[in-house]
Amino acid sequence: MEWTKDGETLRRTIQAPDFPAAILIVDRVAEEAEKMNHHPDIDIRWRTLHFTLTTHDAGGLTDLDYRLAERIDEIARSHGA
């Protein structure tokens, strides 16, 4: 996994092949986040996606963050990132 721990957050930057792929990745991550009821912070800059995960109501990292990180990795790979 290419995630880094920064205090009580996990962070990762992903380079998508192009802007449409970046938006598809975000869309698929949004669908997964809804299923898990756990939502990342996402910053979109053309084809560069910055993800930040933490469990706000728990005050830090939980199993949900690590599980969503794994799903984000799978989604990104499936779209060529």
Side-chain angles (χ1 to χ4, degrees):
M1 224 165 46
E2 297 178 30
W3 291 84
T4 58
K5 187 174 180 212
D6 181 14
E8 291 300 319
T9 65
L10 290 177
R11 297 181 186 275
R12 178 162 186 214
T13 298
I14 294 172
Q15 292 290 326
D18 52 34
F19 186 69
I23 297 305
L24 284 172
I25 291 167
V26 169
D27 186 50
R28 298 302 178 266
V29 168
E31 290 171 0
E32 192 65 28
E34 279 296 299
K35 288 179 197 172
M36 296 176 71
N37 193 30
H38 191 62
H39 305 90
D41 294 332
I42 305 171
D43 180 38
I44 305 168
R45 307 289 172 131
W46 182 41
R47 62 185 193 98
T48 303
L49 306 171
H50 302 279
F51 291 94
T52 303
L53 300 173
T54 193
T55 304
H56 298 285
D57 57 350
L61 294 169
T62 67
D63 184 55
L64 275 174
D65 299 299
Y66 292 98
R67 288 193 343 226
L68 184 54
E70 288 176 10
R71 286 296 297 132
I72 290 170
D73 289 344
E74 292 167 2
I75 291 165
R77 274 193 303 275
S78 73
H79 290 283

